[in-house]
């Protein structure tokens, strides 16, 4: 590997949708930006997600960011000069009893206060919107409908942000892990990488699930956990609906090629590692509420973590090299159950095959909201944009803009206070309910 000794105005760690969007926003505003990823661009969460561009979030303070993001999605292909596959087909959350409908009405009020219009559909309206669907033998009572929600193609979006950032002069460096953040006199001075030190007065940590590990040696802590979730994609069928839909743990969208992207029917898997014990008190209330969806797994992940803590071990020396490309296995039982459920929901489609299945690790915070902005109690010049808790694809465009606003001291696109790092130290972390998009 050749050395990369150089300097930039801003270094961005992580080439997922968030880091790529931050780099794009900074580069187009004239900053000299270097974006570093330990592997290829978008290899972790950002190409493994369902592709939903949704605004229904459990943390109400997120709604303005989600609304700002959808406005950006509407223009994104033009802005990035690349097709991102955005379809504004709306989103439906199906309800199965009166309690669900009461909850939908409450959420509708919260959304309206934040400037987001939604409707609650009757059972018949749902049937009209999703023809041919026999969901749970038709036991739904209605649905919350967000007509401005949509979907996009995860295989296209992050790459499009990175290429657009490059066109504006950003340097994109892949297969080059950041091994540490360099500081002097209480300020950030750059990052240590596999290819040497790169200097910069500002560093944005957008390293997805790895972000807290990178900041911890500087005394900058925040709770962050991942759950593994499996996704299934079918072979193409004739177009049925552009709507993305969620009900009782099962979700689908039909992409432009006619393939259904499905999830649910299986538990989300909580991999046990040593950090789990450190952060447990933060996540227990959320885990308890979501206990029906979660399965605890003790295995190679924990062993790898233990080995990496042994002083002098190769597992420790090669920590980042061994994690260059994270490709967790799809849960075989979950795949079978998801496909079975799909066939029960759309009984008239006949035999539809599976094109592919995969899994991804969704990183999250205890309040299911990201951290965006400067760190508290750490070096000046260090910012975080991480912890997107299953919403980072949808929020990516506006989150990148907000992080860039905060790097440059520009007028923020939305109020950044709900996303401040300090909320954990202040214990100002609201309790959120069952995770449901
Ligand atoms: C199965 C699944 C379904 C999802 N569905 C949706 C959805 O429908 N809608 C939605 O909005 N969100 C969804 N999400 C969440 C969404 O994908 C994430 O919130 C979003 O992609 C997070 O982007 P990110 O850039 O923060 O992280 P990532 O995409 O994980 O990127 C982080 C990057 O940092 C790099 N990195 C880490 N450590 C280092 C280091 N030391 N040096 C250099 N680089 C490093 C990694 O290699 C990686 O490329 C889903 C996620 C999954 C896994």
């Amino acid at each position: 590997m050749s050395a990369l000794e150089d300097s930039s105005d801003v270094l961005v760690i992580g080439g997922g949708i968030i880091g790529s969007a931050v780099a794009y926003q900074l580069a187009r505003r004239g900053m000299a930006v270097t974006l570093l990823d330990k592997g290829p661009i978008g290899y972790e969460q950002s190409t493994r997600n369902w592709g939903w561009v949704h605004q229904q979030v459990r943390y109400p303070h997120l709604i303005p960011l989600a609304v700002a993001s959808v406005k950006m999605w509407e223009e994104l292909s033009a802005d990035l000069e690349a097709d991102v596959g955005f379809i504004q087909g709306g989103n439906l959350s199906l309800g199965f009893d009166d309690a669900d409908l009461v909850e939908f009405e409450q959420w509708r009020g919260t959304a309206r206060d934040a400037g987001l219009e939604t409707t609650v559909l009757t059972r018949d309206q749902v049937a009209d919107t999703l023809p041919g669907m026999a969901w749970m033998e038709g036991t739904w009572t209605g649905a919350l409908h967000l007509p401005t929600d949509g979907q996009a193609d995860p295989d296209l979006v992050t790459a499009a942000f990175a290429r657009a950032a490059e066109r504006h002069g950003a340097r994109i460096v892949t297969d080059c892990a950041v091994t540490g953040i360099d500081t002097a006199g209480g300020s950030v001075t750059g990052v240590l990488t596999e290819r040497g030190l790169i200097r910069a007065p500002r560093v944005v940590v957008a390293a997805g699930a790895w972000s807290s590990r990178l900041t911890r040696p500087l005394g900058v802590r925040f709770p962050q956990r991942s759950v593994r979730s499996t996704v299934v994609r079918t072979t193409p069928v004739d177009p049925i609906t552009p709507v993305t839909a969620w009900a009782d743990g099962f979700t689908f969208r039909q992409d432009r090629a006619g393939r259904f992207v499905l999830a649910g029917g299986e538990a989300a898997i909580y991999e046990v590692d040593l950090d789990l014990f450190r952060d447990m008190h933060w996540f227990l209330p959320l885990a308890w509420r979501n206990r029906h969806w979660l399965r605890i797994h003790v295995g190679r992940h924990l062993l790898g973590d233990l080995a990496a803590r042994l002083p002098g071990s190769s597992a420790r020396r090669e920590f980042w090299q061994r994690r260059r490309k994270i490709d967790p296995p799809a849960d075989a039982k979950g795949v079978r159950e998801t496909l079975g459920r799909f066939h029960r929901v759309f009984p008239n489609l006949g035999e539809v095959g599976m094109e592919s299945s995969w899994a991804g690790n969704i990183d999250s915070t205890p309040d299911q909201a990201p951290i965006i902005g400067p760190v508290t109690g750490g070096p000046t010049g260090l910012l975080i944009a991480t912890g997107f808790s299953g919403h980072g694809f949808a929020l990516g465009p506006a989150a990148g803009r907000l992080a860039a606003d905060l790097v440059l001291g520009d007028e923020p696109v939305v109020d950044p206070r709900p996303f401040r790092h300090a909320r954990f130290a202040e214990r100002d972390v609201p309790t959120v309910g069952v995770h449901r998009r």
Side-chain angles (χ1 to χ4, degrees):
M1 261 187 195
S2 57
L4 258 183
E5 284 167 53
D6 206 339
S7 63
S8 288
D9 294 331
V10 187
L11 295 169
V12 179
I13 309 174
I17 187 170
I18 303 302
S20 302
V22 175
Y24 163 70
Q25 288 288 340
L26 289 168
R28 70 196 285 254
R29 295 185 216 177
M31 302 302 284
V33 182
T34 299
L35 179 148
L36 296 140
D37 200 291
K38 63 181 169 58
I41 290 296
Y43 194 79
E44 292 197 1
Q45 299 174 79
S46 296
T47 48
R48 291 165 188 272
N49 60 65
W50 305 344
W52 285 31
V53 176
H54 57 283
Q55 299 159 98
Q56 192 191 350
V57 287
R58 301 300 290 176
Y59 186 58
H61 299 303
L62 264 181
I63 297 174
L65 192 65
V67 171
S69 213
V70 163
K71 289 206 174 79
M72 292 176 73
W73 275 102
E74 290 165 355
E75 308 296 330
L76 204 58
S77 288
D79 286 347
L80 301 183
E81 298 174 39
D83 176 23
V84 297
F86 181 60
I87 306 169
Q88 204 158 23
N91 172 267
L92 280 182
S93 279
L94 272 84
F96 292 90
D97 54 28
D98 290 344
D100 282 342
L101 295 188
V102 169
E103 198 188 317
F104 291 161
E105 283 296 349
Q106 277 166 357
W107 199 85
R108 189 171 166 224
T110 309
R112 194 189 298 116
D113 292 346
L116 174 62
E117 279 309 322
T118 64
T119 48
V120 176
L121 301 187
T122 63
R123 187 188 150 81
D124 290 346
Q125 287 169 319
V126 176
D128 290 345
T129 313
L130 291 168
M133 195 189 80
W135 207 307
M136 308 285 280
E137 286 74 48
T139 56
W140 66 84
T141 48
L144 183 71
H145 184 218
L146 276 80
T148 51
D149 276 10
Q151 55 167 295
D153 188 340
D155 286 334
L156 301 178
V157 179
T158 304
F161 266 117
R163 275 197 306 271
E166 258 180 331
R167 273 200 305 280
H168 285 283
R171 180 172 56 157
I172 310 286
V173 185
T174 53
D175 295 320
C176 179
V178 171
T179 54
I181 297 167
D182 200 42
T183 63
S187 298
V188 158
T189 51
V191 299
L192 303 158
T193 79
E194 288 180 272
R195 292 166 64 180
L197 175 72
I198 312 181
R199 299 202 174 283
R202 279 163 287 191
V203 169
V204 180
V205 181
W210 307 99
S211 300
S212 58
R213 179 177 283 269
L214 281 167
T215 64
R216 203 179 302 137
L218 304 173
V220 175
R221 295 171 185 275
F222 52 91
Q224 188 177 30
R225 290 296 313 155
S226 289
V227 288
R228 174 149 52 98
S229 176
T230 291
V231 187
V232 176
R233 186 158 58 203
T234 70
T235 51
V237 295
D238 288 341
I240 293 177
T241 177
V243 160
T244 57
W246 163 281
D248 199 27
F250 176 75
T251 76
F252 67 77
R253 73 176 172 99
Q254 190 177 23
D255 72 10
R256 288 187 301 185
R259 302 169 302 184
F260 275 89
V261 178
L262 313 168
E266 120 277 17
I269 295 171
Y270 225 77
E271 286 286 356
V272 172
D273 60 16
L274 296 179
D275 287 345
L276 173 65
F277 301 103
R278 179 183 294 127
D279 288 344
M280 197 144 67
H281 64 288
W282 283 107
F283 286 96
L284 263 182
L286 185 65
W288 179 251
R289 267 184 214 89
N290 287 300
R291 62 192 177 281
H292 302 301
W293 309 106
L294 289 177
R295 202 167 77 215
I296 304 287
H297 185 249
V298 183
R300 288 175 54 181
H301 197 73
L302 178 62
L303 292 177
D305 197 25
L306 284 167
R309 285 170 205 246
L310 286 178
S313 66
S314 57
R316 190 180 178 117
R317 272 194 314 279
E318 296 163 9
F319 182 86
W320 292 111
Q321 289 89 330
R322 292 187 185 192
R323 287 158 181 83
R324 203 175 288 295
K325 288 170 98 177
I326 303 288
D327 191 7
D331 181 56
K333 180 167 169 271
V335 168
R336 278 194 308 278
E337 285 177 6
T338 301
L339 275 175
R341 210 145 173 209
F342 171 70
H343 285 115
R344 287 198 300 282
V345 166
F346 290 105
N348 304 328
L349 286 181
E351 275 303 300
V352 182
M354 182 177 83
E355 187 198 83
S356 54
S357 64
W358 64 88
N361 294 322
I362 307 178
D363 80 306
S364 66
T365 62
D367 55 9
Q368 304 280 281
I371 303 159
I372 308 173
V375 301
T376 44
T380 51
L382 183 63
L383 290 92
I384 307 175
T386 201
F388 281 83
S389 308
H391 305 306
F393 187 68
L395 297 175
R401 184 161 155 194
L402 178 61
D405 293 340
L406 297 173
V407 168
L408 297 175
D410 290 349
E411 175 73 21
V413 58
V414 297
D415 178 7
R417 194 177 146 73
F419 315 121
R420 70 200 186 285
H421 172 228
R423 69 187 193 268
F424 300 105
E426 294 162 3
R427 301 268 154 180
D428 183 13
V429 180
T431 304
V432 290
V434 174
H435 189 57
R436 173 195 248 178
R437 293 180 178 87

